[in-house]
Amino acid sequence: MTETPAPRAPLAIETDLELTIDDTRAEVSSTGDRLFINFPSLGAANTALRGLPPGRIGDFTELLEETDLTVEVQSRRRTVMAIGADATAGPLSQRLGFDPAQVRVAGIAGAVGQEFAAGVRWVRQLLR
């Protein structure tokens, strides 16, 4: 008896590139069914996300779901938002106006911690 191959996403992405939005660079990488957009700070990620045209995030989400892809928006390598096939919006996403994207509170907290640590390192270097 022949085994049926495991279902695969209709689309797979392999990339390693850089994206610039409002003079802020973001690294873009992938694992096939996930695309990671990593911003250097929460402020940069927020600026990019707030710059999306109103109502278009739903269109983008539909495309990602049809192709079985997920985009993770990161700040300092912490996922702060997920959009697409493996992302389910909750009440926080709706309240912040990012529905149908999934806002990840733990990722935001981790990114805030990373930013605070970077600020402490910067002050220490100034005082040397």
Side-chain angles (χ1 to χ4, degrees):
M1 181 156 88
T2 315
E3 284 190 35
T4 305
R8 294 183 48 188
L11 182 64
I13 296 176
E14 291 186 30
T15 186
D16 186 16
L17 53 98
E18 229 175 60
L19 171 72
T20 303
I21 301 172
D22 291 335
D23 296 327
T24 300
R25 287 185 175 171
E27 296 173 358
V28 180
S29 60
S30 70
T31 60
D33 65 343
R34 286 195 182 277
L35 186 66
F36 301 94
I37 304 173
N38 184 47
F39 290 92
S41 69
L42 276 170
N46 184 52
T47 299
L49 290 168
R50 294 285 178 192
L52 292 173
R56 297 299 303 216
I57 198 165
D59 296 339
F60 184 55
T61 302
E62 285 179 25
L63 174 66
L64 291 170
E65 288 173 350
E66 285 178 20
T67 56
D68 201 23
L69 295 173
T70 302
V71 172
E72 291 192 23
V73 178
Q74 299 180 327
S75 172
R76 297 181 179 266
R77 302 264 178 241
R78 304 293 192 265
T79 300
V80 296
M81 181 177 293
I83 306 164
D86 290 334
T88 305
L92 182 60
S93 299
Q94 295 167 355
R95 185 170 188 115
L96 294 175
F98 286 117
D99 184 33
Q102 178 186 58
V103 174
R104 297 200 178 161
V105 176
I108 293 170
V112 167
Q114 290 288 321
E115 294 210 12
F116 181 74
V120 169
R121 284 191 300 273
W122 182 76
V123 169
R124 283 185 178 163
Q125 287 179 348
L126 284 177
L127 297 176
R128 286 185 182 181

